[in-house]
Amino acid sequence: MMTEPVYIIDAKRSPIHHVNGRFSKLEPEQLTTPLYKHFQLHHGINDRIPADEVFMGNAVGPGGNLARLSLLEAGYDRSVPGVTVDRQCGSGLEAVHQGFRHLQAGAAETVLAGGVESISRAPQRSFFASEAYPVSSTQERARFSPKFIGDPDMGEAAETVAKAYSISRADQDAFAERSYRLSWEEAAKTDISREIIPVSTVHADAEIRSPEKMNKIIRRAPVIFEKNGTVTAANSSRISDGAALTLMASRSSCQRHGLVPALEILDAAAVGVDPTMPGIGPVPAVRRLLARNHLSVQDISVWECNEAFASQVLASAFQLGIPPERLNTAGGAIAQGHPYGASGAILVARLMRLMQNGDLPLGVATIGIGGGLGLASLYRLL
């Protein structure tokens, strides 16, 4: 069966700021408003071009249909539908994948897809005592996996991955230093503003400490999850607030409305892995994606892999054989921050800019997810 080609017209993100920082008083729907208005102003969405659907990822927000709330907050027409996607820290990329499948199937012609997270405003969840929760408690997250399998905190899971794949503390620290160095260099480039839409008076990401300062901090950071472990706060991502949104369209929509494609989405894959080692999720997801498209790792020009923890990126990269010089070449979440529900869509915004700048023909965005999941998607520069 012939399917409709699907294009990304534009992909933007908000600045990323650390929890309880510059965005601490903004609700998640307020973080997304400037993104919606950008697509309205620059591409005519909600004016001359209707949005057939809006997909928004969110992981620890207030509940309800945040996608619908956010588009109405931005002043979009009340006829525009919206649906909120929760695949935890893969939610933003899952939203892009769902938009892709809708467009590919002909169920929509023009879609907005992305994610948002205000961890600063995230509510606490109360659980009454039960078999799953022996005592009443207040927690930040719901369960990812049943008790008989195991439901570790993400830091504990990162330690499990480090042990299983022999990723040393030195390896993780070196990768964290690389993330800070590349992110520091990227922040100094005026070009990074191409992927950022200001929120209120905030035009840039939170300041990144210099590599010289961070290298000392990284090497001295204490382990935090296991007494004799290797995972530290300094070789893990910074918890942050942020949002990202992509404008996606079918070929027929581009022809009808004069939209100019930047990337073509070729395919997307989702897999499940052991919930005690969610960080390894990118490995089978990427393998499935490449096999379906008759490609090898060497065929991919640039890789964007979410840096929740250094251990998981290194384990995935080693298993796949990704060349280091093609992986996260602009730094990543260890230095820049990880707004859970937005991070997957942020990967797409960054990937688009890097592919356009370097004239790089093929790119992959991939992410490992709490509960034992992996997502990956393949993009071609037009």
Side-chain angles (χ1 to χ4, degrees):
M1 182 181 70
M2 293 293 292
T3 57
E4 180 86 354
V6 176
Y7 303 117
I8 291 183
I9 311 305
D10 199 359
K12 300 294 184 186
R13 65 174 178 89
S14 74
I16 302 170
H17 278 260
H18 307 314
V19 64
N20 299 323
R22 296 289 300 275
F23 295 151
S24 62
K25 290 183 167 50
L26 294 181
E27 297 298 335
E29 65 272 17
Q30 295 173 308
L31 276 175
T32 63
T33 292
L35 298 171
Y36 283 101
K37 290 187 178 297
H38 165 81
F39 292 117
Q40 184 171 24
L41 177 64
H42 290 274
H43 300 286
I45 304 303
N46 195 50
D47 287 337
R48 64 182 182 86
I49 306 173
D52 297 318
E53 185 64 274
V54 174
F55 298 93
M56 287 293 292
N58 184 254
V60 296
N65 191 354
L66 191 54
R68 174 68 171 171
L69 174 62
S70 66
L71 68 91
L72 293 175
E73 178 77 17
Y76 271 46
D77 193 271
R78 296 179 186 183
S79 65
V80 180
V83 61
T84 303
V85 177
D86 181 358
R87 213 192 269 265
Q88 289 303 299
C89 56
S91 299
L93 191 57
E94 174 63 25
V96 173
H97 289 189
Q98 291 202 19
F100 165 58
R101 294 303 184 196
H102 268 67
L103 291 163
Q104 188 181 49
E109 290 194 340
T110 309
V111 160
L112 291 170
V116 61
E117 205 72 75
S118 174
I119 301 173
S120 298
R121 309 294 295 171
Q124 294 286 306
R125 292 170 169 81
S126 296
F127 298 92
F128 294 107
S130 67
E131 184 177 344
Y133 300 96
V135 296
S136 296
S137 63
T138 301
Q139 301 177 25
E140 291 185 359
R141 69 168 177 87
R143 289 182 297 149
F144 294 155
S145 175
K147 186 176 180 180
F148 68 87
I149 293 176
D151 186 23
D153 288 336
M154 293 299 94
E156 295 170 355
E159 287 281 13
T160 301
V161 168
K163 290 176 183 176
Y165 293 92
S166 301
I167 308 297
S168 69
R169 165 72 186 264
D171 291 334
Q172 294 172 63
D173 285 351
F175 187 82
E177 290 171 2
R178 175 186 186 268
S179 182
Y180 273 95
R181 176 176 55 80
L182 292 174
S183 297
W184 170 272
E185 293 170 356
E186 199 69 17
K189 300 175 183 176
T190 57
D191 178 69
I192 195 173
S193 63
R194 286 179 49 215
E195 72 184 51
I196 298 175
I197 299 299
V199 175
S200 186
T201 59
V202 181
H203 288 71
D205 295 330
E207 184 178 357
I208 297 171
R209 291 176 179 172
S210 70
E212 292 76 19
K213 290 181 180 179
M214 281 311 305
N215 290 355
K216 294 178 182 178
I217 293 171
I218 290 166
R219 298 291 175 173
R220 295 171 182 172
V223 296
I224 52 177
F225 300 106
E226 289 187 10
K227 184 177 180 180
N228 297 312
T230 58
V231 178
T232 72
N235 59 36
S236 306
S237 60
R238 300 194 68 170
I239 299 172
S240 302
D241 302 330
L245 200 59
T246 64
L247 171 58
M248 309 164 67
S250 65
R251 180 168 57 193
S252 56
S253 179
C254 291
Q255 292 170 342
R256 183 179 305 110
H257 300 297
L259 295 170
V260 180
L263 304 178
E264 181 180 0
I265 309 181
L266 298 177
D267 201 0
V271 300
V273 296
D274 184 348
T276 67
M277 291 198 294
I280 207 65
V283 175
V286 166
R287 286 174 175 163
R288 179 176 296 180
L289 183 76
L290 296 182
R292 273 204 309 237
N293 291 276
H294 309 290
L295 294 169
S296 72
V297 168
Q298 294 298 325
D299 292 323
I300 307 304
S301 313
V302 59
W303 298 80
E304 279 293 315
C305 181
N306 187 54
E307 295 178 358
F309 299 91
S311 64
Q312 56 125 111
V313 182
L314 288 169
S316 296
F318 291 161
Q319 291 296 302
L320 290 167
I322 298 174
E325 66 274 12
R326 299 185 187 183
L327 174 65
N328 293 8
T329 58
I334 288 175
Q336 298 163 6
H338 178 17
Y340 309 137
S343 290
I346 289 170
L347 296 179
V348 177
R350 183 170 300 127
L351 192 68
M352 188 181 89
R353 180 173 63 87
L354 294 175
M355 290 176 71
Q356 289 179 320
N357 283 357
D359 196 24
L360 304 173
L362 291 174
V364 166
T366 185
I367 191 166
I369 304 162
L373 295 163
L375 295 179
S377 41
L378 176 65
Y379 304 84
R380 181 172 68 89
L381 181 66
L382 296 173

